[in-house]
Amino acid sequence: MTDTSLSPQIRILPGGDQRLLAGIGVIDPTSLDSYRKAGGYAGLARAIEKLGPEGTIDEIAEAGLRGRGGGGYPTADKWRAARSAAGESKVVVANLIGADPTALGDRALAEGNPHLLLEGVLIAAFATGASDAVIAVRRDWTVAIERLRAAVAQAEAAHLAGYLIKGTDFSCVVRVSEGAAALVAGEETALLAALEGDRGMPVIRPPYPTERGLGGAPTTVQNGETLAHAAWIATHGSKKFRAIGSKDAPGTKLVSVYGRVAQPGLVEVALGTRLSEIVAFAGGGTGTTKAAFVGGPGGGAIADLDTAYDFGPLHDAGAGIGLGQFLVADTDTCMVDSARFFLDYSAREACGKAVPCRIGTKRLVETLDRILAASPRPNDLLLLRELSRKMTDTALCHLEARAPGPMLTTLDRFPDEYRAHAERGECLAGACRTTPVPPLISPLAHL
Amino acid sequence: MTIPGLGILKGLRQTARNYWSPKVTNQYPESRPTMPDRWRGRLDLIYDPFGEHKCEVCFQCAQVCPVEAIDMSGFDSTGKRIRYGLPEIYDERKDPNAYRRAGLPAAPMRNAARWDEEVDTSWLHGVIDGFGGRPEALVAIFSAVEERYGYLPERALREVSERMSIHWAQIFGAAGLGGFRLLPADGHLVTVCTCAACSFAGGGALLEALCADLGIQPGETTADGSVSLAVADDVAAGALSPALRIDTMVYGPLSVEKARHVVAQRRKAPARSKAAAGTAS
């Protein structure tokens, strides 16, 4: 009897629009037969036998699938670029680095339904003409690594992966590789550098990986969840995929809800769902919900919970979809301290390559520390904005460009909390241990 | 033969030529001069509005200078003084950050106790060969090393470097970015999660309580060597937040009392001896 349960960290919340999560708990993740019985590998068969590579890309384009790794780049465009790129051998890399460990979507998929991911990888390889595929998994997700390796071996034995798949001349050798456990390791160029044995640091784009990636070959780097969606589209068709979700971004997204909620966990929602509904899926807030930090360290705080959870509206609100991180803050959460937390995280995880990032994040944390200690310099609030703008302008990777996000959005939406901390040493949320600043007594007061 | 004053006349000829040549005013924002591709403008603003030097002594310019003509001194972001000269001469230049800033292979960990510890690495060859020596297996190999010793000993990393024919600097760089432990921890390793989920669910209180209980700060070991405290954000607590990890077991969600209890319980159990693991077959 093999163990088929997920790691205890992953709790799948009931409700939402379960598509990718539907199979988890139903399908035995260690058995190929169980997955095939549930209609698995029908998408791969349809792609190979009916659609052909171009047809598969067209199908994905019609479905309007956008990358779920945060960027929201149309998947079909990326695949088309990789397909038309010059190169004898091409590679598909599945990004399961889980850059932010609080994002549980990819981990749940890899542990609960590894064959779905593998099917997505194979479909991407077929569409882009790749003969090699690497599934890069965060190294401490040992269960996921073990199950993915087993899944690849089973699929190879059943001629669903490896050489001459399904008796055609399409071959794709899939390897499962451990990746570093770091925020920056999830950045696509850093991931490729790490796979080549280098320190995982981003490099300047262009050239994009679709032109020159792993070992110089055109490489399609795709987030695990995106690949699972691609497999779903190949199985069920683009029309069904568009049935839920918003017009610009159909389909669903795995959201990890945590923070001040009754039931932290993972939920799959249609894009365009209101933020307040997502909070409700997690059993509602434990206090009066004040804001939601959407998108983790590269996202931002949104106070208006009627905002739609979608690429466009979140971007306009200064946040981002990220890897699906969703932190709920209530009235007992100090927004200045929260912003400091995220910036500190970015500073600690900075790879050190780009100077504006390595030093800029540190300076921002120091400036926030001064504000929290109620001893700011006269134009510290201006300095925060100025420095953030420069970091965004000179960014080497998106992690750096978006790192000031949580601070900028809280500064815009909760300026009172910043001012109270800076001027009076008072925490409006009552969360920070502060020493109130004594009122300034003029040395001439006794005259 | 030299004619007195000829040099000055030659110079004045140039002056006169410039004086009578037509003057041109470039309408700057509309018409821009063509500059080399890598032109990044003139350096300006040496001091910030508070009179502090803006240079962080980051060595980035020294690193890219093709003829290695740049060296610098000053105070870095931690307030440490950096002097001109070679790392071998000045102690502050042996600081890990100084090495990293200068883009040098950081050997400073040698200063730390046990970093350079003698370990038996004969088993490593089999592991490396098992991966076919592919560079993408580096992280997997590091994981195996960490599992065996509890950290990455320098000797083992050197062995990996040699066996795989990868530069030591590259190996050390890759090992420094994967969330690996580079120094050994004595006794049970208690790791408090500092991820966003845990921190916002009360992970800070957990850490404070344990610090007070054990009388140590993260990165330190208790006097009797039974418990080492650390923080990491990859315990990945998710639904278990706030959580902590003792050796390899994850506990959560924990209240402060429960955390104290769990740590006290585990503290009694004998810890795996890291040194023994290192010397065994």
Side-chain angles (χ1 to χ4, degrees):
Chain A
M1 181 70 201
T2 45
D3 184 24
T4 58
S5 56
L6 302 184
S7 296
Q9 283 93 335
I10 304 165
R11 178 197 287 139
I12 293 175
L13 301 169
D17 308 281
Q18 294 204 340
R19 265 181 189 174
L20 305 184
L21 294 182
I24 295 178
V26 182
I27 295 168
D28 178 358
T30 57
S31 146
L32 174 63
D33 291 338
S34 168
Y35 180 65
R36 288 187 109 169
K37 231 175 262 166
Y41 287 110
L44 181 66
R46 179 159 166 258
I48 293 177
E49 284 153 17
K50 247 178 88 189
L51 297 171
E54 298 286 348
T56 309
I57 297 180
D58 288 342
E59 183 84 3
I60 301 285
E62 249 165 66
L65 177 63
R66 295 172 67 174
R68 299 298 200 247
Y73 190 75
T75 307
D77 290 1
K78 198 188 258 186
W79 290 11
R80 211 164 267 147
R83 183 167 179 75
S84 57
E88 274 182 13
S89 64
K90 291 173 188 175
V91 189
V92 169
V93 174
N95 183 349
L96 285 154
I97 291 297
D100 185 348
T102 52
L104 298 170
D106 288 339
R107 188 177 188 180
L109 287 177
E111 289 186 5
N113 206 348
H115 278 290
L116 179 68
L117 272 175
L118 182 58
E119 190 181 352
V121 171
L122 291 167
I123 289 169
F126 177 68
T128 58
S131 52
D132 272 293
V134 181
I135 306 180
V137 194
R138 193 185 176 91
R139 69 179 177 93
D140 45 12
W141 295 357
T142 42
V143 180
I145 292 168
E146 198 180 299
R147 285 187 187 160
L148 278 166
R149 287 218 166 110
V152 171
Q154 288 165 358
E156 268 177 8
H159 298 290
L160 290 165
Y163 294 101
L164 306 177
I165 292 166
K166 284 184 151 298
T168 64
D169 60 357
F170 164 53
S171 299
C172 180
V173 179
V174 185
R175 293 196 302 268
V176 179
S177 173
E178 277 109 326
L183 178 66
V184 70
E187 207 276 341
E188 60 175 6
T189 54
L191 172 61
L192 295 180
L195 284 179
E196 288 172 1
D198 276 326
R199 181 174 165 90
M201 296 201 285
V203 291
I204 288 177
R205 296 177 296 178
Y208 287 92
T210 45
E211 296 159 41
R212 208 166 68 218
L214 199 60
T219 306
T220 318
V221 185
Q222 206 84 66
N223 174 260
E225 190 187 336
T226 320
L227 290 168
H229 277 297
W232 199 92
I233 293 167
T235 313
H236 296 92
S238 55
K239 220 178 247 160
K240 232 172 151 188
F241 184 78
R242 291 195 81 100
I244 52 174
S246 66
K247 206 167 145 282
D248 292 338
T252 57
K253 169 90 187 110
L254 301 175
V255 186
S256 317
V257 196
Y258 53 90
R260 304 292 172 94
V261 285
Q263 287 264 324
L266 183 67
V267 66
E268 185 170 7
V269 297
L271 286 163
T273 311
R274 310 269 149 218
L275 300 189
S276 50
E277 290 173 58
I278 297 177
V279 178
F281 281 130
T286 46
T288 316
T289 303
K290 181 160 72 173
F293 283 91
V294 185
I302 299 181
D304 176 16
L305 293 183
D306 277 339
T307 312
Y309 189 83
D310 192 358
F311 291 100
L314 286 182
H315 181 80
D316 295 342
I321 217 154
L323 288 165
Q325 307 100 312
F326 193 99
L327 173 80
V328 180
D330 63 11
T331 41
D332 289 339
T333 319
C334 174
M335 299 314 258
V336 189
D337 195 40
S338 310
R340 189 203 175 277
F341 173 84
F342 281 117
L343 274 174
D344 185 46
Y345 181 68
S346 296
R348 271 185 285 127
E349 294 281 316
C351 71
K353 185 169 185 181
V355 181
C357 175
R358 185 183 67 215
I359 292 168
T361 45
K362 267 204 188 94
R363 285 285 168 276
L364 287 176
V365 171
E366 283 168 13
T367 311
L368 282 183
D369 277 342
R370 284 202 295 271
I371 290 173
L372 282 166
S375 57
R377 291 168 177 177
N379 53 359
D380 264 356
L381 290 183
L382 267 174
L383 178 70
L384 289 177
R385 285 187 194 278
E386 176 73 13
L387 200 49
S388 314
R389 198 173 56 80
K390 284 195 174 150
M391 278 177 64
T392 312
D393 285 352
T394 57
L396 174 65
C397 71
H398 68 273
L399 295 169
E400 176 188 358
R402 308 198 55 93
M407 189 267 300
L408 286 179
T409 45
T410 47
L411 192 56
D412 281 340
R413 292 182 184 126
F414 305 94
D416 295 346
E417 296 202 17
Y418 278 84
R419 253 183 251 123
H421 260 298
E423 288 164 10
R424 303 193 298 278
E426 178 194 350
C427 182
L428 290 185
C432 307
R433 257 176 261 152
T434 53
T435 40
V437 181
L440 192 70
I441 302 168
S442 163
L444 303 176
H446 64 280
L447 290 178
Chain B
M1 187 177 100
T2 51
I3 302 167
L6 184 66
I8 216 154
L9 280 179
K10 270 186 187 168
L12 280 176
R13 197 174 65 172
Q14 185 63 38
T15 314
R17 207 181 279 160
N18 282 346
Y19 187 79
W20 277 292
S21 66
K23 308 288 177 293
V24 181
T25 304
N26 282 323
Q27 298 298 325
Y28 165 62
E30 288 81 28
S31 78
R32 289 164 190 255
T34 357
M35 284 301 185
D37 277 350
R38 306 196 58 177
W39 170 257
R40 291 290 178 273
R42 215 188 117 209
L43 290 177
D44 210 345
L45 262 185
I46 297 173
Y47 296 95
D48 72 3
F50 299 95
E52 281 182 25
H53 227 279
K54 273 196 159 177
C55 174
E56 303 266 357
V57 205
C58 75
F59 281 87
Q60 200 82 0
C61 54
Q63 216 172 311
V64 297
C65 178
V67 291
E68 302 182 0
I70 304 178
D71 196 357
M72 65 195 70
S73 70
F75 292 91
D76 75 353
S77 55
T78 58
K80 189 173 273 183
R81 181 157 161 71
I82 306 290
R83 273 178 285 193
Y84 290 105
L86 298 167
E88 289 81 25
I89 302 174
Y90 296 112
D91 253 2
E92 64 264 22
R93 288 208 164 194
K94 290 178 191 157
D95 184 67
N97 284 322
Y99 272 81
R100 232 167 279 141
R101 276 193 303 264
L104 294 170
M109 300 299 282
R110 274 201 214 112
N111 295 341
R114 291 180 64 186
W115 163 250
D116 201 12
E117 194 171 64
E118 198 73 48
V119 289
D120 176 44
T121 52
S122 51
W123 64 280
L124 249 173
H125 295 194
V127 173
I128 294 170
D129 296 348
F131 284 109
R134 284 199 314 271
E136 65 173 57
L138 262 190
V139 174
I141 292 168
F142 293 157
S143 296
V145 172
E146 195 188 45
E147 198 177 317
R148 186 160 180 121
Y149 303 111
Y151 73 110
L152 302 183
E154 179 174 337
R155 290 292 165 92
L157 292 186
R158 294 254 178 213
E159 193 66 40
V160 174
S161 164
E162 230 158 74
R163 188 84 182 167
M164 297 183 73
S165 305
I166 300 178
H167 290 299
W168 161 245
Q170 196 176 334
I171 294 277
F172 190 83
L177 200 79
F180 294 100
R181 291 189 61 80
L182 294 176
L183 286 173
D186 281 318
H188 293 288
L189 181 63
V190 177
T191 313
V192 181
C193 190
T194 52
C195 76
C198 291
S199 294
F200 281 79
L206 223 62
L207 183 62
E208 265 174 41
L210 288 180
C211 281
D213 263 20
L214 302 168
I216 50 173
Q217 290 299 309
E220 295 175 355
T221 308
T222 49
D224 62 350
S226 60
V227 178
S228 295
L229 194 61
V231 288
D233 37 41
D234 58 354
V235 181
L240 296 182
S241 57
L244 57 81
R245 181 172 58 200
I246 303 180
D247 299 331
T248 53
M249 277 288 288
V250 178
Y251 298 84
L254 293 171
S255 61
V256 170
E257 284 75 42
K258 261 196 203 158
R260 282 196 176 123
H261 178 73
V262 168
V263 171
Q265 282 292 312
R266 292 295 303 161
R267 197 175 178 177
K268 282 177 208 153
R272 190 184 75 151
S273 165
K274 298 282 151 58
T279 47
S281 69

